[in-house]
Amino acid sequence: MKERLKTAALLVLVLGSLVQSYFLIYRLPGSDSVVQAETPYIKTEAMGPDEKAENLIYPKKIIIHLGGDKHTVFYPEQMFYDLVYNRLKGREFDSFQRRTVNNMDWTKLRASSKGIELSFGSGMPVTLLQKVMQIKPDSLFEGESIDKMWLYSIDGEPKVHALFFSTEGDVVYEAAQVDLTVQDVHQLVDFGRDWVPYTMEDDASFYLPEEQLSMVSLELPIGMYTVEQMQRSLFFDPSITRNIRERDGSEIYTDSKRSLQVDEKQNWINYTDPAAPPSGDSSPGKDVLSAIDFVNQHGGWNGGYRMSQSKDIEDRTMVEFQQYHRGYPILNTPDFNYGTMKLELQNGTVTSYERSLLYVETDEQKKKIVKLAAGDKLREKIDIMSKKMKIIDLEPVYLPLITESGLWLRPAWAVQLPNGSMKVIE
């Protein structure tokens, strides 16, 4: 009996020692945990679903050059877009050589050669593109961001040219080793032969359809995250926040370090953490991954998105994610803030986070096919606009409008201006 009591007492002492050791290592007041989490952000209340970086990285459109100055354009979620992009993702690109853009007549080459042009918009860090494509590591090339990738063949040549255009504007990189044959490129190009024909405009900055483009006008049921949910998601201790009402009607919640500004008219939030500690090394690619991780941990994703911008401004990185539906971007307008998430990072740490409180449900309602203008009718409208502003691109978009029953997505054409803003063609 005594031996059993001794054994029991010894077991209690051992367990007590283990518990005490745990608190000394992991819960010592005033010190950090010895074991660091893989992510710098703490998982908070689950609102929207998480998303993987690979699902946010893809071209905004694929332009097919058919030769003979004939072209067409594929948009995300279209069958041929997926076929072309998925095949290219499985091919290898290696041994990059740097060249200057001015050495080639690109307009003539687009018109005369067969090829595939992947447009990424404002720029895609190469390190992110390596997550979805088989691009071999290259110390010089990896530090770049590209706005387009172009594969083409020239009649009489046995090789495929694979070019990656830097956002710097005067530099292009060519992969000397490409896991594609001329026949491979021609097969992919042939997918566009019976598609909507597009004309390359005189300055070769955008392509205009010669036949009407079909899109679906629809409504989506909506919900709205509450301010309390966002507080619990963004503040370590929401109970110590205080509320300040601004003259413009917006409200600010702050814990003296961080602030959450809520625009109730627009259902839009702007979270700032100017005292966020620096985390050391950063790069455009790493900052985008940090931004994705932050959204995963603080609100999640309320629909499909594409990484549309990663731009360095002095010691900051601006990252923007564009919301898509049925393969087309939902346009953020001055009258209705919706369709984007914007983050600002310093040294890899998020210091600003903007997003809508609204989210959409998946059930589509009141669907109707709409034909967008094309050919000379569209060209005339663009010509009028081009006299007042420089146009660098043309895109089919969804214009979001709030109705009594939800969010109406109205199809429209929009032009992109040099500063990145979009203007709807009425």
Side-chain angles (χ1 to χ4, degrees), residues 125-138 142:
V126 171
T127 52
L128 288 182
L129 199 56
Q130 287 174 323
K131 287 185 167 293
V132 294
M133 301 189 75
Q134 307 302 310
I135 298 174
K136 295 297 183 180
D138 183 283
E142 282 181 341

Side-chain angles (χ1 to χ4, degrees), residues 106-312:
W106 303 109
T107 302
K108 181 180 178 181
L109 199 58
R110 283 188 179 92
S112 61
S113 65
K114 295 180 180 179
I116 305 159
E117 189 174 338
L118 278 61
S119 174
F120 291 95
S122 63
M124 179 69 65
V126 171
T127 52
L128 288 182
L129 199 56
Q130 287 174 323
K131 287 185 167 293
V132 294
M133 301 189 75
Q134 307 302 310
I135 298 174
K136 295 297 183 180
D138 183 283
S139 58
L140 181 64
F141 184 47
E142 282 181 341
E144 291 281 359
S145 287
I146 66 166
D147 53 19
K148 60 178 173 283
M149 173 184 172
W150 187 11
L151 298 102
Y152 68 95
S153 64
I154 297 177
D155 288 343
E157 290 188 6
K159 65 172 290 186
V160 173
H161 296 271
L163 305 179
F164 298 78
F165 290 77
S166 169
T167 53
E168 296 299 322
D170 58 348
V171 176
V172 62
Y173 292 83
E174 180 167 7
Q177 297 182 23
V178 182
D179 184 23
L180 281 164
T181 66
V182 171
Q183 186 62 31
D184 291 331
V185 171
H186 288 185
Q187 286 178 351
L188 295 178
V189 166
D190 283 343
F191 288 139
R193 294 216 170 270
D194 297 321
W195 206 247
V196 177
Y198 279 69
T199 298
M200 181 173 60
E201 294 305 285
D202 292 339
D203 59 0
S205 62
F206 63 90
Y207 297 81
L208 188 145
E210 297 299 339
E211 295 177 4
Q212 290 181 323
L213 186 70
S214 297
M215 287 181 65
V216 179
S217 170
L218 54 92
E219 280 194 7
L220 295 168
I222 58 174
M224 187 166 69
Y225 300 126
T226 66
V227 174
E228 289 74 19
Q229 282 179 300
M230 296 309 304
Q231 282 184 275
R232 290 194 296 269
S233 175
L234 293 165
F235 291 101
F236 292 114
D237 186 358
S239 65
I240 65 173
T241 60
R242 56 191 176 90
N243 172 258
I244 304 170
R245 180 169 285 276
E246 297 287 278
R247 290 182 179 179
D248 61 0
S250 64
E251 289 194 275
I252 296 177
Y253 299 84
T254 179
D255 62 359
S256 297
K257 293 183 179 179
R258 307 162 191 85
S259 67
L260 174 65
Q261 184 172 9
V262 181
D263 185 340
E264 295 179 348
K265 293 180 181 178
Q266 293 273 6
N267 297 310
W268 186 263
I269 63 146
N270 186 348
Y271 168 79
T272 58
D273 185 5
S279 61
D281 294 337
S282 71
S283 66
K286 289 180 180 178
D287 286 346
V288 171
L289 295 177
S290 292
I292 294 171
D293 188 44
F294 187 91
V295 176
N296 283 342
Q297 306 300 326
H298 298 280
W301 305 83
N302 57 315
Y305 282 82
R306 185 181 73 87
M307 199 289 286
S308 59
Q309 186 177 78
S310 173
K311 182 167 60 176
D312 288 338

Side-chain angles (χ1 to χ4, degrees), residues 203 205 385-386 388-392 416-418:
D203 59 0
S205 62
M385 295 179 70
S386 64
K388 302 177 182 178
M389 61 195 75
K390 181 175 176 57
I391 296 172
I392 64 171
Q416 183 180 346
L417 308 182

